[in-house]
């Protein structure tokens, strides 16, 4: 059986401290660790939040996120060294940088990016300077060097080693002037996923991630706003449509089978928008279901 280890990464440095930092506690409280049979591998506390944009980069908390990414990479690296599968509970999407840094220290890996947004903004186009809207750009080496070249290892992942699946913000991001996704990056918008079916789309994504040069495996990043807004309203940036619970579980189960996946991040769920805990339990159940058949 795959041995899972949960790392709490309650950082809101790339967004705002409005509730996403409570995600780990909410999912653990909903019984996620027990459902996964996972051990607890620690909690990486973020530095203080600074609400002022850095004048040099145009970002919020660039130094804090850089330091946090190194600390989180250390924690993820310890779990990997112990031959366990890290399940990182954010926080906002900027925690992806730390997980990918841990992989970049070891080898060349791929990334399955499940998000309702493509998160490829540059600082000049991001209205608030939030790194949670540009982590994919930074991870592929685009943006201020303090985050795009962590430890001098940027890019953390190559364009051709990324599959972005399920995003549905093309019109919105173009309106803000977001830089386009690079042609080598494999983009599978929500409409494409629907046309193929969730299972086939996920299989194609895994084939793309397994067939290139990133033969050390791939990380799975889940921003829960990839779900249909009617099913998952407990997120800070809402938009219509999205995957159903069953579609998400199908994609995750496919991605997590076969041994190619090396870790998972879960981000953006805001428990303060889920006062009775219903969505936390549903999300924990979806994650448990995705891992249920894994060996």
């Amino acid at each position: 059986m795959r041995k899972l280890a949960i790392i709490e990464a309650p950082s809101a440095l790339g967004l705002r401290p409005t509730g996403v930092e409570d995600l780990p506690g909410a999912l653990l409280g909903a019984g996620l660790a027990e459902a996964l049979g996972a051990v607890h591998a620690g909690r990486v506390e973020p530095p203080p939040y600074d609400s002022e944009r850095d004048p040099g980069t145009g970002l919020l908390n660039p130094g804090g996120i850089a330091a946090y990414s190194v600390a989180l990479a250390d924690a993820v690296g310890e779990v990997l060294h112990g031959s366990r599968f890290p399940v990182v509970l954010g926080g906002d999407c900027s925690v992806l940088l730390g997980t990918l840094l841990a992989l970049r220290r070891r080898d060349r890996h791929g990334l399955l990016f499940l998000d309702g947004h493509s998160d490829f903004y540059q600082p000049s186009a991001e209205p608030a300077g939030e790194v949670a809207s540009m982590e994919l750009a930074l991870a592929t080496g685009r943006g201020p060097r303090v985050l795009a070249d962590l430890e001098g290892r940027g890019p953390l992942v190559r364009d051709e080693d990324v599959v972005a699946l399920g995003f549905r913000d093309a019109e919105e991001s173009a309106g803000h002037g977001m830089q386009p996704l690079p042609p080598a990056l494999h983009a599978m918008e929500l409409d494409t996923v629907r046309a193929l079916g969730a299972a086939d789309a996920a299989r194609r994504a895994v084939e793309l991630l397994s067939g290139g040069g990133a033969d050390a495996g791939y990380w799975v990043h889940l921003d829960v706003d990839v779900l249909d807004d009617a099913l998952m309203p407990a997120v800070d940036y809402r938009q219509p449509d999205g995957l159903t619970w069953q579609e998400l579980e199908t994609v995750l189960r496919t991605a997590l089978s076969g041994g190619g996946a090396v870790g998972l991040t879960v981000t953006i769920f805001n428990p303060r928008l889920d006062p009775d805990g219903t969505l936390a339990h549903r999300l924990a159940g979806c994650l448990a279901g995705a891992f249920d058949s894994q060996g």
Side-chain angles (χ1 to χ4, degrees):
M1 287 291 291
R2 180 177 277 167
K3 298 178 180 178
L4 308 182
I6 289 175
I7 300 172
E8 297 182 61
S11 174
L13 294 172
L15 192 64
R16 299 178 308 281
T18 58
V20 294
E21 65 273 24
D22 299 332
L23 183 159
L27 289 187
L28 292 173
L32 180 62
E34 293 81 2
L36 295 181
V39 300
H40 188 265
R43 180 179 173 97
V44 183
E45 295 289 352
Y49 186 91
D50 185 349
S51 60
E52 297 295 323
R53 292 179 78 155
D54 173 64
T57 63
L59 304 178
L60 289 169
N61 301 290
I65 293 172
Y68 190 75
S69 297
V70 171
L72 182 55
D74 291 343
V76 172
E78 288 183 16
V79 169
L80 293 170
H81 184 70
S83 299
R84 290 187 179 270
F85 184 99
V87 177
V88 178
L89 304 180
D92 70 66
C93 288
S94 68
V95 303
L96 178 63
L97 298 176
T99 64
L100 292 181
L101 176 59
L103 299 186
R104 183 69 180 86
R105 289 171 176 175
R106 300 167 69 90
D107 212 329
R108 178 178 171 182
H109 291 78
L111 171 64
L112 177 57
F113 188 82
L114 309 176
D115 197 317
H117 304 85
S118 47
D119 287 357
F120 216 75
Y121 281 83
Q122 67 275 29
S124 61
E126 212 298 312
E130 294 171 350
V131 171
S133 295
M134 59 183 81
E135 80 280 358
L136 186 54
L138 292 163
T140 57
R142 297 168 174 87
R145 186 173 179 180
V146 62
L147 294 179
D149 192 25
L150 291 167
E151 296 184 340
R153 300 177 188 270
L156 300 177
V157 64
R158 303 185 191 190
D159 295 349
E160 62 268 28
D161 296 335
V162 177
V163 176
L165 187 151
F167 63 94
R168 58 189 191 276
D169 68 329
E171 183 176 345
E172 175 189 340
S173 60
H176 283 297
M178 188 191 81
Q179 60 194 333
L181 293 175
L185 189 151
H186 306 287
M188 300 176 69
E189 296 184 68
L190 178 63
D191 289 346
T192 301
V193 176
R194 286 275 165 72
L196 293 171
D200 192 27
R203 283 192 292 269
R204 293 194 185 192
V206 170
E207 289 171 1
L208 289 167
L209 291 167
S210 304
D215 54 9
Y218 54 86
W219 190 273
V220 180
H221 172 74
L222 170 62
D223 177 333
V224 301
D225 70 21
V226 77
L227 282 160
D228 192 311
D229 183 72
L231 302 173
M232 176 50 75
V235 298
D236 286 86
Y237 288 116
R238 300 176 63 175
Q239 55 177 336
D241 208 357
L243 299 179
T244 66
W245 285 108
Q246 186 56 55
E247 286 172 329
L248 176 59
E249 188 172 322
T250 296
V251 169
L252 288 173
R253 185 183 294 112
T254 302
L256 295 169
S257 65
V262 298
L264 169 71
T265 36
V266 183
T267 62
I268 293 300
F269 173 59
N270 187 338
R272 297 183 196 176
L273 303 176
D274 176 37
D276 64 359
T278 299
L279 294 175
H281 281 86
R282 186 65 184 86
L283 178 56
C286 178
L287 295 169
F291 277 105
D292 187 52
S293 62
Q294 309 312 312

